[in-house]
Amino acid sequence: MTAQGLEGFYRGGRRLLARCLIRVAGREPLAVQARMVSADRARFVGTVRAAPHGGPDPDVVVERIRHADGTERITLHSSAARPLRLPLEVALGTDLAELGAVAAGNPGRELPATVHDSGLRWTSPIGHTVVTASPPPTDALASAGLLRWEFDLPPGGTRTVELRVRADGTGIGRAAGHGAVRPLAAAQAHGDDPRVGPLLRTSIDDLHALVVRDPTQPTDVYLAAGAPWRCGPAPAEALTAARMVLPLGTRLAGSTLRALARTQLGEPSGEFGRLPGPLRHAGTRMPPSCTGIEATLLFPVLLAEATRWGLAEQEVTELLPAAERCLQWLRAATRAGPYLPDPAPGGPSRSETQAHAHRAAVLGADLLDAYGRPGGAELRHWAEELRLRFRQDFWIEDLGGGRPAAARTADGRPMPHLGSSAAHLLDTGLLGAGSYAPGLLNKMQTEQLARLFGGPSLDSGWGLRTLEVKGVAYNPFGHRAGAVRVQETAVAVAGLAAAGYEKEAASLLGGVLSAAEHFAYRLPEMYAGEQRVEGGAPLPHPAACRPAAVAAAAGVHLLATLAGIRPDAPAGTVTLSPVRCAPLGEIGLTGLRVAGHAFSVRVSRLGLAMVEEAADDLQLGV
């Protein structure tokens, strides 16, 4: 750890330790391997030739296990034929810089250290950080930030030093602790394609590594958006990920909804009922869009779908008032017309925002009716008007068969660029009896969008691009201008499969699965949209979070899509609508959760689904 670039230990968006260099017998170990052991643990191995006249083979292996909780273990393994006396030196330093300053290349100077307890301490006006060592060092030199030990290693012997980094303050959210809170079922996948098992296993591991506690109510947890850039609250990403992993149980959904309900704006104003969130850049041709709008629209959707998956009635009843306030905000924001502007009145009307709003209205109305609350009829009426207007105002006819507009400007001009955000038009949401809600596009328009998604301009071979290749602003690394965003590709796969366009869905699924293999199944938030070629590999994006909540959740969503599980826990039924073409051959999913009980399903090579484990009172629907 050299303090170069983004390297370091961080907590609450601040770099607690920037530099951690070691020397053994006066030499820096030769690095031979570095790899992620899990989402929150990395292993580094180096070698040293310590014995004089020992030949070309190294006789000391230096292993460093670095954990995201601020712990690092340095172990020396001797293979020398004779006893060795080895000095170990660890040089430490930090600037206590904020993550944003580090990312911008302006971290500031390293701070002077002082000897503290069994290690070193650094102090600045904003706080302090301490590194302690076990066993205590033989010598500690504050001016150089140096800790030193002298070890006697017999042949085959080992010695270990453990470093711990800690700071004052707890930051915005507190990590739940490795293995302490695991809100998701330990599901497993197996089948003809050997990649499905490690993809599901790694996705669940990544999600658990991103679990943080709500600082106001530590019993509730939610997912941080991703490391290293998005460890703070990101309501839209937390809700999206919780929705995608409903097949692993409703516990995460319930606690995420409770945590976000506490942040809801309750003062009487035009913002009453909205969930606040940070601004997110929507691309070079679009103004910033507020994730608070997306989160506000996702809240009632997640509650409605979690109810279908078996969220306890008491939890639903407690959360229903917050969902009602979200829906009241939606109706208030659309009084002037059928479209919801984003991010504020007078701004453009984005296509995906209308899809989110329409889904919230339809599923929200269904939820209100189920619990005898008023407002469902008004929401359905508005949703029907939105469908009729959208199919005319947001559809651009051209010689290629037409396309949905990305947005309409305040004066009504359509913006024609097309990318993966259009996948949200296919995500209509789950209603009762295993049926999907109506969508904004009609059958002809859905078929045309499926054709566009299956074409080489959008399908990179690794997933769906955020902007088509022929777009004026196309950039394979543009996070909204050509890169592949795993979440939106997964949404497209699920939407295409549900609409019956399995060929296009299978192509996108195969692309993401191949990319996952190159990333050791730890999918990043995004990667370059460069066209896939034989023998090639997806290019990592330098600004992508990895692990990322929505990418890890997308891995679960993709595999669950193959089985097409559509539960209705209040009615005691579950319907299976598998992908009939069976693009991965036979696949089995075990340890899922439906209606609070274990659920296992197998899809054959012929695309036929069979329930292998379920609650005794759960009936298989038609």
Side-chain angles (χ1 to χ4, degrees), residues 50 99 143 221 259 281 380 413 507 519 567:
L99 177 60
S143 59
V221 298
H281 197 274
R380 285 194 184 89
R413 290 181 293 107
S507 176
F519 288 112

Coordinates of all heavy atoms in Angstrom, one line a residue, residues 50 99 143 221 259 281 380 413 507 519 567:
A50 N 16.4 -15.0 1.8 CA 17.0 -14.5 3.0 C 18.3 -15.1 3.4 O 19.3 -14.5 3.9 CB 16.1 -14.6 4.2
L99 N -12.4 11.0 0.8 CA -12.3 10.2 -0.4 C -12.4 11.0 -1.7 O -11.7 10.8 -2.7 CB -13.5 9.2 -0.4 CG -13.7 8.3 -1.6 CD1 -12.4 7.4 -1.8 CD2 -14.9 7.4 -1.4
S143 N 9.2 9.6 13.6 CA 9.6 10.5 12.6 C 9.5 9.8 11.2 O 9.3 10.5 10.2 CB 11.0 11.0 12.8 OG 11.9 9.9 12.9
V221 N -30.8 -3.1 8.7 CA -29.7 -3.0 7.8 C -30.1 -2.7 6.4 O -31.3 -2.9 6.1 CB -28.8 -4.3 7.9 CG1 -28.3 -4.6 9.2 CG2 -29.7 -5.5 7.3
A259 N -35.5 1.6 7.3 CA -34.5 2.6 7.4 C -34.8 3.8 6.5 O -34.6 4.9 7.0 CB -33.1 1.9 7.0
H281 N -25.4 11.9 -12.1 CA -25.3 12.3 -13.5 C -26.0 11.3 -14.4 O -25.7 10.1 -14.3 CB -23.8 12.5 -13.8 CG -23.6 13.3 -15.0 ND1 -23.6 12.8 -16.3 CD2 -23.4 14.6 -15.2 CE1 -23.4 13.7 -17.2 NE2 -23.3 14.9 -16.5
R380 N -54.8 4.3 -10.7 CA -55.0 3.5 -11.9 C -55.4 4.4 -13.1 O -55.0 4.2 -14.2 CB -56.0 2.5 -11.7 CG -55.5 1.3 -10.8 CD -56.4 0.1 -10.9 NE -56.0 -1.0 -10.1 CZ -56.3 -1.1 -8.8 NH1 -57.1 -0.2 -8.2 NH2 -55.8 -2.1 -8.1
R413 N -40.0 18.5 -27.1 CA -39.2 17.9 -28.2 C -38.6 16.6 -27.7 O -38.0 16.5 -26.6 CB -38.0 18.8 -28.5 CG -38.4 20.1 -29.3 CD -37.2 21.0 -29.7 NE -36.6 21.5 -28.5 CZ -35.4 21.2 -28.0 NH1 -34.8 20.2 -28.6 NH2 -34.9 21.7 -26.9
S507 N -29.1 -13.9 -25.3 CA -27.9 -13.3 -25.8 C -27.3 -12.4 -24.7 O -26.1 -12.4 -24.4 CB -28.1 -12.5 -27.1 OG -26.9 -11.9 -27.5
F519 N -14.3 -11.6 -14.5 CA -14.1 -10.8 -13.3 C -14.1 -11.7 -12.1 O -14.4 -11.2 -11.0 CB -15.2 -9.8 -13.2 CG -15.1 -8.6 -14.2 CD1 -16.0 -8.4 -15.2 CD2 -14.0 -7.7 -14.0 CE1 -15.8 -7.4 -16.1 CE2 -13.9 -6.6 -14.9 CZ -14.8 -6.5 -16.0
P567 N -44.4 -15.4 -7.2 CA -45.2 -15.8 -6.1 C -46.3 -14.9 -5.8 O -46.3 -13.7 -6.2 CB -44.1 -15.8 -4.9 CG -43.2 -14.7 -5.3 CD -43.1 -14.8 -6.8

